[in-house]
Amino acid sequence: MTVATSNVDCPLCGTPTSHTVLNGRPDYEYGVKRALTYRQCSNGGCGLIFVKPLPTLAEVSTFYQKYSTHTTNDSVPRIPLLSSAGESSGRRALAALFGGARLGTLSVLDYGCGGGAFMSKLTSLGVGQVTGYDFDPEACQNARTRGLNVLSSEDEVSRSGPYDFIFLNHVIEHLIDPIGDIQRISAYLKVGGKLVLRTPNTQSTLCRLFGANWRGWETPRHLHLFSMKSLIGLVEAADTAGLRAAYVSTSNAMFLGMYHESFHTRCWRAGRLGKLVRHALSYPVFLLSTVNKWFTRYSGEELCLVVEKVATK
């Protein structure tokens, strides 16, 4: 629930006022008890949603004692920008994203690799050098059981680079200092390399429809949530005179998962009638979202931003 505006600086644009948009939302996914307060920047040109006060890094690590990346069943993200492509088109989708470069010559970093599902996909499609990194030791170990090259520290990440592409697949929303992190991570890119960001969209149809129940909140693990304006603003704030947004869009590739996981009560999740109604409603809601995306370009569930490194610092 929104309350009165007060003087809390936006960490992205510095606007000195913001308002509370969410307070005390439970962790519906993994049951972490820590409740956080989410505020939204009052600047209409920014609109970043951020946690205030932020938890410490040590506290954040406790939010991941149970997580999807600790199993080998974590889902494989579809190829950004071409998320509607079928599995048989995976190689062509990658080639298009990578500008026609020979996949075997590319070096790719999956930053925040989780259990390694996306790394496995890149490897199976013929990408030459696929490297992963994650701050969660259990997720890293799980990825290594797949035979993947997952590094233990950012010093190793830096020494293994520079990279042609770096993917942050639903990572930026988990970070305590996204501006500083983008500055640091982009330094691992080659000149001409690209940073690919994917993150939930706070201007999506389902966010507007479900409010505090929206799956994209994932409290308390998501610390910063973005619209297209604030995601582009993040790159501008992190720019070291060498970054430019090369592609921006939104996608509904994750629509069904986001939709079904925005229902939290037992009636909707386990009740026979509730499940039937939930599934039946998914069709008109998806149609509504599709129509809304025709008229409101940046209303898809997932933001996709590709940033090119055009110069060194």
Side-chain angles (χ1 to χ4, degrees):
M1 180 179 68
T2 300
V3 298
T5 298
S6 59
N7 293 327
V8 176
D9 290 359
C10 171
L12 181 56
C13 72
T15 296
T17 56
S18 59
H19 55 274
T20 299
V21 293
L22 197 67
N23 192 14
R25 181 187 185 274
D27 177 8
Y28 292 111
E29 288 72 42
Y30 298 100
V32 174
K33 298 300 183 183
R34 180 72 157 91
L36 301 175
T37 298
Y38 290 75
R39 303 184 65 85
Q40 184 167 28
C41 175
S42 300
N43 176 3
C46 175
L48 177 72
I49 295 176
F50 56 96
V51 168
K52 193 71 174 184
L54 277 168
T56 65
L57 185 59
E59 187 177 11
V60 167
S61 67
T62 68
F63 300 164
Y64 296 87
Q65 292 178 348
K66 293 189 295 182
Y67 205 52
S68 61
T69 55
H70 297 172
T71 74
T72 56
N73 296 320
D74 50 323
S75 60
V76 180
R78 297 196 182 195
I79 303 303
L81 319 184
L82 295 163
S83 54
S84 62
E87 287 300 312
S88 62
S89 302
R91 192 178 299 275
R92 292 195 302 274
L94 275 173
L97 175 60
F98 294 152
R102 294 179 60 184
L103 299 184
T105 68
L106 294 176
S107 60
V108 176
L109 172 66
D110 187 6
Y111 187 98
C113 63
F118 188 58
M119 293 180 67
S120 294
K121 171 57 64 178
L122 293 173
T123 300
S124 70
L125 291 173
V127 175
Q129 178 186 329
V130 181
T131 304
Y133 170 76
D134 200 289
F135 82 97
D136 181 349
E138 189 168 346
C140 290
Q141 184 56 41
N142 184 38
R144 292 187 185 107
T145 64
R146 300 179 187 232
L148 299 169
N149 178 31
V150 179
L151 304 179
S152 301
S153 71
E154 293 219 19
D155 284 342
E156 290 180 291
V157 171
S158 179
R159 289 195 299 269
S160 180
Y163 305 91
D164 295 296
F165 281 81
I166 299 176
F167 287 87
L168 273 70
N169 291 315
H170 291 262
V171 171
I172 196 68
E173 64 271 19
H174 293 262
L175 302 180
I176 288 178
D177 178 20
I179 295 176
D181 290 322
I182 290 295
Q183 289 173 333
R184 188 183 68 258
I185 294 166
S186 64
Y188 305 148
L189 278 172
K190 297 177 182 178
V191 174
K194 292 183 173 66
L195 179 67
V196 182
L197 299 167
R198 300 166 64 236
T199 189
N201 179 17
T202 59
Q203 295 297 306
S204 74
T205 300
L206 292 184
C207 182
R208 295 174 184 272
L209 180 65
F210 283 103
N213 288 318
W214 179 53
R215 172 63 175 84
W217 288 107
E218 200 185 309
T219 54
R221 285 165 296 280
H222 289 182
L223 304 176
H224 297 87
L225 292 105
F226 299 87
S227 66
M228 185 57 74
K229 287 182 179 179
S230 55
L231 190 60
I232 293 174
L234 169 64
V235 174
E236 292 173 346
D239 187 16
T240 55
L243 303 177
R244 72 173 182 89
Y247 179 95
V248 290
S249 186
T250 64
S251 165
N252 270 331
M254 299 180 65
F255 177 88
L256 285 178
M258 297 287 275
Y259 167 82
H260 287 295
E261 292 180 28
S262 294
F263 292 87
H264 305 293
T265 64
R266 182 173 177 80
C267 168
W268 290 109
R269 302 296 300 176
R272 183 175 299 177
L273 179 59
K275 289 171 67 175
L276 179 64
V277 172
R278 171 163 59 87
H279 282 273
L281 287 175
S282 67
Y283 296 98
V285 175
F286 179 72
L287 178 60
L288 170 65
S289 180
T290 301
V291 172
N292 190 30
K293 195 168 180 296
W294 287 343
F295 292 98
T296 309
R297 181 183 175 192
Y298 297 135
S299 64
E301 283 307 302
E302 179 185 44
L303 296 165
C304 303
L305 175 62
V306 179
V307 180
E308 183 177 11
K309 185 173 184 177
V310 295
T312 55
K313 190 171 173 181

mmCIF file of all heavy atoms in Angstrom, residues 178-215:
data_model
loop_
_atom_site.group_PDB
_atom_site.id
_atom_site.type_symbol
_atom_site.label_atom_id
_atom_site.label_comp_id
_atom_site.label_asym_id
_atom_site.label_seq_id
_atom_site.Cartn_x
_atom_site.Cartn_y
_atom_site.Cartn_z
ATOM 1 N N PRO A 178 23.608 -1.937 -7.495
ATOM 2 C CA PRO A 178 23.577 -2.214 -8.941
ATOM 3 C C PRO A 178 24.422 -1.264 -9.778
ATOM 4 O O PRO A 178 24.990 -1.675 -10.793
ATOM 5 C CB PRO A 178 22.088 -2.104 -9.292
ATOM 6 C CG PRO A 178 21.466 -1.334 -8.177
ATOM 7 C CD PRO A 178 22.269 -1.643 -6.961
ATOM 8 N N ILE A 179 24.554 0.001 -9.382
ATOM 9 C CA ILE A 179 25.388 0.930 -10.163
ATOM 10 C C ILE A 179 26.849 0.493 -10.104
ATOM 11 O O ILE A 179 27.515 0.329 -11.140
ATOM 12 C CB ILE A 179 25.235 2.372 -9.650
ATOM 13 C CG1 ILE A 179 23.809 2.875 -9.882
ATOM 14 C CG2 ILE A 179 26.237 3.293 -10.352
ATOM 15 C CD1 ILE A 179 23.544 4.263 -9.306
ATOM 16 N N GLY A 180 27.361 0.285 -8.908
ATOM 17 C CA GLY A 180 28.743 -0.146 -8.761
ATOM 18 C C GLY A 180 28.986 -1.502 -9.395
ATOM 19 O O GLY A 180 30.046 -1.748 -9.986
ATOM 20 N N ASP A 181 27.983 -2.387 -9.311
ATOM 21 C CA ASP A 181 28.146 -3.720 -9.888
ATOM 22 C C ASP A 181 28.209 -3.663 -11.413
ATOM 23 O O ASP A 181 29.018 -4.368 -12.024
ATOM 24 C CB ASP A 181 27.005 -4.628 -9.436
ATOM 25 C CG ASP A 181 27.107 -4.984 -7.962
ATOM 26 O OD1 ASP A 181 28.238 -5.199 -7.485
ATOM 27 O OD2 ASP A 181 26.074 -5.034 -7.281
ATOM 28 N N ILE A 182 27.379 -2.830 -12.054
ATOM 29 C CA ILE A 182 27.435 -2.695 -13.506
ATOM 30 C C ILE A 182 28.783 -2.100 -13.929
ATOM 31 O O ILE A 182 29.391 -2.531 -14.919
ATOM 32 C CB ILE A 182 26.282 -1.828 -14.036
ATOM 33 C CG1 ILE A 182 24.956 -2.570 -13.880
ATOM 34 C CG2 ILE A 182 26.497 -1.448 -15.500
ATOM 35 C CD1 ILE A 182 24.844 -3.819 -14.723
ATOM 36 N N GLN A 183 29.271 -1.132 -13.191
ATOM 37 C CA GLN A 183 30.577 -0.552 -13.505
ATOM 38 C C GLN A 183 31.672 -1.616 -13.431
ATOM 39 O O GLN A 183 32.535 -1.704 -14.309
ATOM 40 C CB GLN A 183 30.876 0.593 -12.540
ATOM 41 C CG GLN A 183 30.020 1.825 -12.774
ATOM 42 C CD GLN A 183 30.229 2.882 -11.700
ATOM 43 O OE1 GLN A 183 30.598 2.570 -10.566
ATOM 44 N NE2 GLN A 183 29.984 4.130 -12.055
ATOM 45 N N ARG A 184 31.630 -2.428 -12.386
ATOM 46 C CA ARG A 184 32.657 -3.455 -12.213
ATOM 47 C C ARG A 184 32.523 -4.555 -13.254
ATOM 48 O O ARG A 184 33.508 -4.980 -13.867
ATOM 49 C CB ARG A 184 32.553 -4.056 -10.806
ATOM 50 C CG ARG A 184 33.689 -5.003 -10.461
ATOM 51 C CD ARG A 184 33.512 -5.631 -9.101
ATOM 52 N NE ARG A 184 32.384 -6.564 -9.065
ATOM 53 C CZ ARG A 184 31.205 -6.284 -8.549
ATOM 54 N NH1 ARG A 184 30.960 -5.087 -8.031
ATOM 55 N NH2 ARG A 184 30.237 -7.183 -8.537
ATOM 56 N N ILE A 185 31.315 -5.035 -13.477
ATOM 57 C CA ILE A 185 31.099 -6.159 -14.391
ATOM 58 C C ILE A 185 31.397 -5.765 -15.831
ATOM 59 O O ILE A 185 31.971 -6.550 -16.596
ATOM 60 C CB ILE A 185 29.660 -6.697 -14.235
ATOM 61 C CG1 ILE A 185 29.474 -7.303 -12.840
ATOM 62 C CG2 ILE A 185 29.350 -7.735 -15.312
ATOM 63 C CD1 ILE A 185 28.022 -7.561 -12.468
ATOM 64 N N SER A 186 31.030 -4.544 -16.221
ATOM 65 C CA SER A 186 31.285 -4.114 -17.604
ATOM 66 C C SER A 186 32.782 -4.019 -17.892
ATOM 67 O O SER A 186 33.202 -4.105 -19.048
ATOM 68 C CB SER A 186 30.602 -2.765 -17.887
ATOM 69 O OG SER A 186 31.143 -1.730 -17.088
ATOM 70 N N ALA A 187 33.594 -3.877 -16.850
ATOM 71 C CA ALA A 187 35.053 -3.850 -17.047
ATOM 72 C C ALA A 187 35.582 -5.198 -17.506
ATOM 73 O O ALA A 187 36.694 -5.276 -18.036
ATOM 74 C CB ALA A 187 35.747 -3.420 -15.750
ATOM 75 N N TYR A 188 34.798 -6.266 -17.330
ATOM 76 C CA TYR A 188 35.219 -7.586 -17.772
ATOM 77 C C TYR A 188 34.953 -7.810 -19.262
ATOM 78 O O TYR A 188 35.330 -8.855 -19.807
ATOM 79 C CB TYR A 188 34.488 -8.677 -16.991
ATOM 80 C CG TYR A 188 34.616 -8.584 -15.492
ATOM 81 C CD1 TYR A 188 33.572 -9.008 -14.659
ATOM 82 C CD2 TYR A 188 35.763 -8.089 -14.885
ATOM 83 C CE1 TYR A 188 33.668 -8.937 -13.287
ATOM 84 C CE2 TYR A 188 35.867 -8.011 -13.511
ATOM 85 C CZ TYR A 188 34.807 -8.433 -12.704
ATOM 86 O OH TYR A 188 34.907 -8.354 -11.347
ATOM 87 N N LEU A 189 34.294 -6.865 -19.936
ATOM 88 C CA LEU A 189 33.963 -6.997 -21.351
ATOM 89 C C LEU A 189 35.103 -6.528 -22.248
ATOM 90 O O LEU A 189 35.840 -5.597 -21.910
ATOM 91 C CB LEU A 189 32.734 -6.145 -21.693
ATOM 92 C CG LEU A 189 31.344 -6.697 -21.416
ATOM 93 C CD1 LEU A 189 30.312 -5.593 -21.650
ATOM 94 C CD2 LEU A 189 31.034 -7.909 -22.277
ATOM 95 N N LYS A 190 35.196 -7.143 -23.416
ATOM 96 C CA LYS A 190 36.036 -6.603 -24.473
ATOM 97 C C LYS A 190 35.376 -5.342 -25.028
ATOM 98 O O LYS A 190 34.161 -5.171 -24.931
ATOM 99 C CB LYS A 190 36.171 -7.620 -25.611
ATOM 100 C CG LYS A 190 36.849 -8.913 -25.244
ATOM 101 C CD LYS A 190 36.860 -9.871 -26.435
ATOM 102 C CE LYS A 190 37.505 -11.196 -26.064
ATOM 103 N NZ LYS A 190 37.473 -12.156 -27.192
ATOM 104 N N VAL A 191 36.158 -4.444 -25.622
ATOM 105 C CA VAL A 191 35.569 -3.349 -26.384
ATOM 106 C C VAL A 191 34.792 -3.965 -27.548
ATOM 107 O O VAL A 191 35.295 -4.837 -28.256
ATOM 108 C CB VAL A 191 36.651 -2.382 -26.903
ATOM 109 C CG1 VAL A 191 36.034 -1.338 -27.820
ATOM 110 C CG2 VAL A 191 37.364 -1.713 -25.723
ATOM 111 N N GLY A 192 33.562 -3.531 -27.711
ATOM 112 C CA GLY A 192 32.669 -4.144 -28.694
ATOM 113 C C GLY A 192 31.852 -5.279 -28.116
ATOM 114 O O GLY A 192 30.931 -5.784 -28.772
ATOM 115 N N GLY A 193 32.165 -5.693 -26.885
ATOM 116 C CA GLY A 193 31.396 -6.738 -26.229
ATOM 117 C C GLY A 193 30.066 -6.217 -25.721
ATOM 118 O O GLY A 193 29.830 -5.012 -25.649
ATOM 119 N N LYS A 194 29.181 -7.138 -25.335
ATOM 120 C CA LYS A 194 27.830 -6.763 -24.932
ATOM 121 C C LYS A 194 27.452 -7.386 -23.592
ATOM 122 O O LYS A 194 27.787 -8.539 -23.302
ATOM 123 C CB LYS A 194 26.816 -7.162 -26.004
ATOM 124 C CG LYS A 194 26.943 -6.365 -27.295
ATOM 125 C CD LYS A 194 25.879 -6.754 -28.304
ATOM 126 C CE LYS A 194 25.893 -5.845 -29.530
ATOM 127 N NZ LYS A 194 27.143 -5.996 -30.305
ATOM 128 N N LEU A 195 26.761 -6.571 -22.812
ATOM 129 C CA LEU A 195 26.204 -6.985 -21.538
ATOM 130 C C LEU A 195 24.699 -7.137 -21.719
ATOM 131 O O LEU A 195 24.032 -6.202 -22.162
ATOM 132 C CB LEU A 195 26.517 -5.929 -20.477
ATOM 133 C CG LEU A 195 26.003 -6.131 -19.056
ATOM 134 C CD1 LEU A 195 26.695 -7.316 -18.394
ATOM 135 C CD2 LEU A 195 26.223 -4.860 -18.231
ATOM 136 N N VAL A 196 24.161 -8.320 -21.406
ATOM 137 C CA VAL A 196 22.742 -8.603 -21.619
ATOM 138 C C VAL A 196 22.057 -8.705 -20.257
ATOM 139 O O VAL A 196 22.381 -9.588 -19.446
ATOM 140 C CB VAL A 196 22.538 -9.903 -22.410
ATOM 141 C CG1 VAL A 196 21.050 -10.156 -22.664
ATOM 142 C CG2 VAL A 196 23.299 -9.850 -23.739
ATOM 143 N N LEU A 197 21.124 -7.795 -19.997
ATOM 144 C CA LEU A 197 20.393 -7.745 -18.727
ATOM 145 C C LEU A 197 18.963 -8.205 -18.936
ATOM 146 O O LEU A 197 18.290 -7.753 -19.871
ATOM 147 C CB LEU A 197 20.373 -6.317 -18.172
ATOM 148 C CG LEU A 197 21.705 -5.653 -17.841
ATOM 149 C CD1 LEU A 197 21.511 -4.170 -17.619
ATOM 150 C CD2 LEU A 197 22.302 -6.289 -16.597
ATOM 151 N N ARG A 198 18.484 -9.077 -18.048
ATOM 152 C CA ARG A 198 17.088 -9.483 -18.038
ATOM 153 C C ARG A 198 16.601 -9.386 -16.608
ATOM 154 O O ARG A 198 17.276 -9.828 -15.677
ATOM 155 C CB ARG A 198 16.925 -10.917 -18.561
ATOM 156 C CG ARG A 198 17.405 -11.127 -19.977
ATOM 157 C CD ARG A 198 17.550 -12.598 -20.337
ATOM 158 N NE ARG A 198 16.279 -13.295 -20.322
ATOM 159 C CZ ARG A 198 16.023 -14.387 -19.596
ATOM 160 N NH1 ARG A 198 16.955 -14.866 -18.783
ATOM 161 N NH2 ARG A 198 14.856 -14.968 -19.671
ATOM 162 N N THR A 199 15.401 -8.816 -16.417
ATOM 163 C CA THR A 199 14.902 -8.588 -15.063
ATOM 164 C C THR A 199 13.388 -8.393 -15.107
ATOM 165 O O THR A 199 12.851 -7.999 -16.148
ATOM 166 C CB THR A 199 15.605 -7.346 -14.454
ATOM 167 O OG1 THR A 199 15.286 -7.243 -13.062
ATOM 168 C CG2 THR A 199 15.213 -6.059 -15.161
ATOM 169 N N PRO A 200 12.669 -8.674 -14.007
ATOM 170 C CA PRO A 200 11.217 -8.440 -14.005
ATOM 171 C C PRO A 200 10.889 -6.961 -14.242
ATOM 172 O O PRO A 200 11.659 -6.071 -13.878
ATOM 173 C CB PRO A 200 10.788 -8.879 -12.606
ATOM 174 C CG PRO A 200 11.847 -9.826 -12.161
ATOM 175 C CD PRO A 200 13.123 -9.318 -12.769
ATOM 176 N N ASN A 201 9.721 -6.723 -14.833
ATOM 177 C CA ASN A 201 9.307 -5.380 -15.235
ATOM 178 C C ASN A 201 8.194 -4.872 -14.325
ATOM 179 O O ASN A 201 7.087 -5.425 -14.301
ATOM 180 C CB ASN A 201 8.816 -5.432 -16.688
ATOM 181 C CG ASN A 201 8.340 -4.083 -17.194
ATOM 182 O OD1 ASN A 201 8.642 -3.042 -16.610
ATOM 183 N ND2 ASN A 201 7.595 -4.101 -18.287
ATOM 184 N N THR A 202 8.455 -3.807 -13.581
ATOM 185 C CA THR A 202 7.455 -3.263 -12.663
ATOM 186 C C THR A 202 6.322 -2.532 -13.381
ATOM 187 O O THR A 202 5.345 -2.145 -12.735
ATOM 188 C CB THR A 202 8.103 -2.290 -11.656
ATOM 189 O OG1 THR A 202 8.730 -1.210 -12.367
ATOM 190 C CG2 THR A 202 9.139 -3.003 -10.798
ATOM 191 N N GLN A 203 6.438 -2.359 -14.698
ATOM 192 C CA GLN A 203 5.363 -1.758 -15.480
ATOM 193 C C GLN A 203 4.600 -2.817 -16.281
ATOM 194 O O GLN A 203 3.840 -2.488 -17.194
ATOM 195 C CB GLN A 203 5.932 -0.704 -16.438
ATOM 196 C CG GLN A 203 6.553 0.488 -15.743
ATOM 197 C CD GLN A 203 5.531 1.261 -14.928
ATOM 198 O OE1 GLN A 203 4.496 1.664 -15.440
ATOM 199 N NE2 GLN A 203 5.812 1.457 -13.648
ATOM 200 N N SER A 204 4.760 -4.080 -15.921
ATOM 201 C CA SER A 204 4.109 -5.151 -16.669
ATOM 202 C C SER A 204 2.619 -5.230 -16.344
ATOM 203 O O SER A 204 2.148 -4.730 -15.308
ATOM 204 C CB SER A 204 4.765 -6.496 -16.349
ATOM 205 O OG SER A 204 4.384 -6.950 -15.052
ATOM 206 N N THR A 205 1.897 -5.909 -17.211
ATOM 207 C CA THR A 205 0.459 -6.095 -17.003
ATOM 208 C C THR A 205 0.183 -6.863 -15.720
ATOM 209 O O THR A 205 -0.703 -6.491 -14.937
ATOM 210 C CB THR A 205 -0.153 -6.849 -18.196
ATOM 211 O OG1 THR A 205 0.057 -6.092 -19.385
ATOM 212 C CG2 THR A 205 -1.648 -7.079 -17.995
ATOM 213 N N LEU A 206 0.932 -7.919 -15.465
ATOM 214 C CA LEU A 206 0.679 -8.727 -14.272
ATOM 215 C C LEU A 206 1.043 -7.996 -12.992
ATOM 216 O O LEU A 206 0.385 -8.188 -11.961
ATOM 217 C CB LEU A 206 1.441 -10.052 -14.350
ATOM 218 C CG LEU A 206 0.964 -11.037 -15.422
ATOM 219 C CD1 LEU A 206 1.742 -12.350 -15.317
ATOM 220 C CD2 LEU A 206 -0.534 -11.299 -15.316
ATOM 221 N N CYS A 207 2.076 -7.166 -13.036
ATOM 222 C CA CYS A 207 2.410 -6.374 -11.849
ATOM 223 C C CYS A 207 1.255 -5.442 -11.495
ATOM 224 O O CYS A 207 0.872 -5.314 -10.328
ATOM 225 C CB CYS A 207 3.691 -5.573 -12.082
ATOM 226 S SG CYS A 207 4.218 -4.615 -10.645
ATOM 227 N N ARG A 208 0.692 -4.812 -12.503
ATOM 228 C CA ARG A 208 -0.448 -3.914 -12.270
ATOM 229 C C ARG A 208 -1.672 -4.693 -11.803
ATOM 230 O O ARG A 208 -2.449 -4.214 -10.970
ATOM 231 C CB ARG A 208 -0.760 -3.143 -13.545
ATOM 232 C CG ARG A 208 0.348 -2.195 -13.996
ATOM 233 C CD ARG A 208 0.030 -1.577 -15.353
ATOM 234 N NE ARG A 208 1.108 -0.753 -15.852
ATOM 235 C CZ ARG A 208 1.252 0.546 -15.576
ATOM 236 N NH1 ARG A 208 0.386 1.147 -14.791
ATOM 237 N NH2 ARG A 208 2.266 1.228 -16.070
ATOM 238 N N LEU A 209 -1.847 -5.903 -12.337
ATOM 239 C CA LEU A 209 -3.029 -6.695 -12.020
ATOM 240 C C LEU A 209 -2.967 -7.305 -10.627
ATOM 241 O O LEU A 209 -3.943 -7.273 -9.869
ATOM 242 C CB LEU A 209 -3.195 -7.805 -13.066
ATOM 243 C CG LEU A 209 -4.390 -8.741 -12.914
ATOM 244 C CD1 LEU A 209 -5.698 -7.964 -13.087
ATOM 245 C CD2 LEU A 209 -4.320 -9.868 -13.934
ATOM 246 N N PHE A 210 -1.815 -7.861 -10.259
ATOM 247 C CA PHE A 210 -1.706 -8.598 -9.000
ATOM 248 C C PHE A 210 -1.211 -7.755 -7.829
ATOM 249 O O PHE A 210 -1.334 -8.182 -6.677
ATOM 250 C CB PHE A 210 -0.769 -9.794 -9.185
ATOM 251 C CG PHE A 210 -1.402 -10.944 -9.915
ATOM 252 C CD1 PHE A 210 -1.102 -11.177 -11.247
ATOM 253 C CD2 PHE A 210 -2.297 -11.787 -9.284
ATOM 254 C CE1 PHE A 210 -1.671 -12.240 -11.932
ATOM 255 C CE2 PHE A 210 -2.878 -12.855 -9.946
ATOM 256 C CZ PHE A 210 -2.568 -13.076 -11.279
ATOM 257 N N GLY A 211 -0.612 -6.592 -8.093
ATOM 258 C CA GLY A 211 -0.142 -5.751 -7.002
ATOM 259 C C GLY A 211 0.883 -6.468 -6.136
ATOM 260 O O GLY A 211 1.863 -7.027 -6.623
ATOM 261 N N ALA A 212 0.648 -6.489 -4.819
ATOM 262 C CA ALA A 212 1.613 -7.079 -3.886
ATOM 263 C C ALA A 212 1.768 -8.582 -4.072
ATOM 264 O O ALA A 212 2.748 -9.163 -3.589
ATOM 265 C CB ALA A 212 1.191 -6.779 -2.451
ATOM 266 N N ASN A 213 0.836 -9.239 -4.756
ATOM 267 C CA ASN A 213 0.935 -10.686 -4.976
ATOM 268 C C ASN A 213 1.789 -11.052 -6.183
ATOM 269 O O ASN A 213 2.075 -12.226 -6.409
ATOM 270 C CB ASN A 213 -0.468 -11.286 -5.158
ATOM 271 C CG ASN A 213 -1.245 -11.317 -3.862
ATOM 272 O OD1 ASN A 213 -0.705 -11.645 -2.814
ATOM 273 N ND2 ASN A 213 -2.514 -10.961 -3.922
ATOM 274 N N TRP A 214 2.189 -10.070 -6.970
ATOM 275 C CA TRP A 214 2.955 -10.323 -8.197
ATOM 276 C C TRP A 214 4.213 -11.123 -7.900
ATOM 277 O O TRP A 214 4.966 -10.827 -6.968
ATOM 278 C CB TRP A 214 3.314 -8.977 -8.825
ATOM 279 C CG TRP A 214 4.110 -9.032 -10.082
ATOM 280 C CD1 TRP A 214 3.838 -9.729 -11.220
ATOM 281 C CD2 TRP A 214 5.336 -8.320 -10.334
ATOM 282 N NE1 TRP A 214 4.810 -9.500 -12.176
ATOM 283 C CE2 TRP A 214 5.736 -8.643 -11.653
ATOM 284 C CE3 TRP A 214 6.122 -7.438 -9.598
ATOM 285 C CZ2 TRP A 214 6.889 -8.111 -12.230
ATOM 286 C CZ3 TRP A 214 7.264 -6.920 -10.159
ATOM 287 C CH2 TRP A 214 7.638 -7.251 -11.473
ATOM 288 N N ARG A 215 4.456 -12.139 -8.702
ATOM 289 C CA ARG A 215 5.600 -13.032 -8.502
ATOM 290 C C ARG A 215 6.937 -12.290 -8.601
ATOM 291 O O ARG A 215 7.934 -12.666 -7.957
ATOM 292 C CB ARG A 215 5.547 -14.156 -9.554
ATOM 293 C CG ARG A 215 6.781 -15.064 -9.584
ATOM 294 C CD ARG A 215 6.958 -15.804 -8.280
ATOM 295 N NE ARG A 215 8.049 -16.761 -8.345
ATOM 296 C CZ ARG A 215 9.338 -16.488 -8.142
ATOM 297 N NH1 ARG A 215 9.703 -15.233 -7.882
ATOM 298 N NH2 ARG A 215 10.251 -17.426 -8.207
#
